[in-house]
Amino acid sequence: MTTHRTMEHAKMPLVMRRKTKVMFARGQGMMTLALVFSVVLACVCATIITTNLRSYDPNADHSLASALGATPKGNLSPSVSRGMPRSLPKSRCAIVHAQSGKKIIISGAPASGKGTQCQLIVEKFGVKHISTGDALRSHVRGGTDLGKQAKAFMDAGDLVPDELIMKIMEQEATGGSSGWLLDGVPRTAAQVTALNEVGLMPEKVILLEVPDDVLIERCVGRLFDPETGNTYHRKYFPPPADIASRCVQRSDDNEETMKNRIEQFKKNRQSLVDGYKGQIVAIDGNREKEAIFKDICQALA
């Protein structure tokens, strides 16, 4: 059979033999190009898939409706939805769901050491420290819409309503994944409910416990640096010599006022305990700050 084909090939005209060789060469070239193209395409696809897998967020809404810009339905993971009240507005659920860092509340009577522990918590866990007073003053100074509303109450000598305070807390906690640390709120049962309604629900509530006489001693000797906002103590933590002259004592840092503030805290303490059952971690705050912080880290582990 092979001999017969060879003879036929030899009988073919020279022009046809040359055309056959050219066509065969072109066919080989096309096959080579197709193979190269397939390899390149496979590499590109592999790169795209790898990149998407690295940036894939399993908690994000990947539905077609989301891609078209529709409002998400607030699908939350079971661990989040189980701890969420049924009445929580869906638009607010995004705050809880978006935060991947720790969510902490720290509470304690005045001079219980919250400020010191807040600094240590922020340094270790990278959470955003949200102090009620600082946030309120910041919005007022910045002239935000919420700040203007709050200023109207303050100028009139009225307390800023819980609803407005919670909106400020919500805005401060939104737009990040580092987590948050609330300081100075909640203080009442109404504030616990309000925080839940805006989606600010903690994983742990740190409660610093310090005897009354120690709190009074800390308060009476407390000094405040108006330029940096740092707090010092005449006996336990005196300010550096170069700034000591500018440090002042707040007008309400006296024994009589302090006793009233402690009693007010005790009245509201039970509201905090009842509102966060299973999340409260009581810590002895009458020790060295390092020992206190060690217990806090164990509680947040």
Side-chain angles (χ1 to χ4, degrees):
M1 182 67 68
T2 303
T3 304
H4 178 69
R5 287 182 177 177
T6 304
M7 292 176 64
E8 286 184 349
H9 180 71
K11 293 179 180 179
M12 292 174 61
L14 179 60
V15 175
M16 291 187 65
R17 289 203 302 271
R18 289 179 176 174
K19 287 183 178 181
T20 301
K21 290 181 179 180
V22 171
M23 292 176 65
F24 180 74
R26 287 179 178 176
Q28 285 185 319
M30 291 294 291
M31 291 178 64
T32 302
L33 288 175
L35 179 61
V36 171
F37 179 77
S38 299
V39 172
V40 172
L41 182 61
C43 292
V44 172
C45 291
T47 301
I48 293 174
I49 292 172
T50 302
T51 302
N52 288 337
L53 285 175
R54 287 176 178 173
S55 60
Y56 177 72
D57 182 2
N59 294 323
D61 183 1
H62 302 285
S63 63
L64 178 61
S66 175
L68 294 175
T71 303
K73 294 185 177 180
N75 296 325
L76 300 177
S77 63
S79 61
V80 175
S81 60
R82 279 197 298 268
M84 184 173 294
R86 295 183 182 273
S87 61
L88 184 64
K90 293 179 180 179
S91 61
R92 304 292 178 86
C93 296
I95 299 173
V96 180
H97 188 52
Q99 294 284 353
S100 61
K102 293 187 179 297
K103 308 169 188 65
I104 313 162
I105 288 177
I106 188 168
S107 181
S112 60
K114 297 191 302 293
T116 299
Q117 296 304 320
C118 283
Q119 291 179 356
L120 297 174
I121 292 171
V122 169
E123 289 174 5
K124 180 172 179 61
F125 297 103
V127 294
K128 181 178 182 180
H129 180 208
I130 305 173
S131 169
T132 309
D134 291 345
L136 182 59
R137 287 187 288 270
S138 176
H139 278 262
V140 171
R141 285 196 303 268
T144 66
D145 290 339
L146 294 176
K148 291 176 182 177
Q149 296 177 47
K151 189 174 186 300
F153 287 99
M154 296 165 67
D155 290 345
D158 298 327
L159 293 176
V160 179
D162 282 349
E163 182 181 0
L164 186 54
I165 291 291
M166 294 309 116
K167 287 181 179 179
I168 291 176
M169 295 294 98
E170 175 189 6
Q171 191 170 104
E172 290 293 310
T174 306
S177 60
S178 61
W180 42 260
L181 169 63
L182 293 188
D183 172 17
V185 67
R187 292 177 177 171
T188 65
Q191 289 182 350
V192 171
T193 301
L195 282 178
N196 287 339
E197 289 178 350
V198 299
L200 294 177
M201 292 177 290
E203 299 166 353
K204 293 291 181 182
V205 178
I206 305 299
L207 180 58
L208 298 178
E209 297 189 323
V210 180
D212 292 0
D213 58 333
V214 176
L215 291 172
I216 293 173
E217 183 183 16
R218 289 181 180 179
C219 176
V220 172
R222 189 162 55 183
L223 295 172
F224 175 73
D225 182 358
E227 291 191 15
T228 64
N230 293 333
T231 302
Y232 302 93
H233 193 275
R234 299 181 191 275
K235 178 180 178 181
Y236 300 111
F237 184 42
D242 58 329
I243 67 167
S245 60
R246 72 177 187 225
C247 290
V248 297
Q249 186 176 32
R250 289 171 173 166
S251 59
D252 58 347
D253 280 347
N254 59 75
E255 185 171 348
E256 183 179 355
T257 302
M258 186 61 178
K259 287 180 178 178
N260 292 331
R261 294 170 68 190
I262 292 173
E263 288 304 313
Q264 188 62 44
F265 172 78
K266 289 180 177 179
K267 290 179 181 178
N268 295 328
R269 182 183 184 278
Q270 194 57 44
S271 299
L272 193 72
V273 173
D274 292 341
Y276 295 112
K277 289 181 179 178
Q279 297 159 285
I280 292 279
V281 180
I283 292 179
D284 180 6
N286 190 24
R287 297 175 294 162
E288 293 294 329
K289 63 180 181 180
E290 293 81 7
I292 299 172
F293 185 58
K294 181 179 179 181
D295 286 353
I296 291 177
C297 290
Q298 290 178 350
L300 298 178

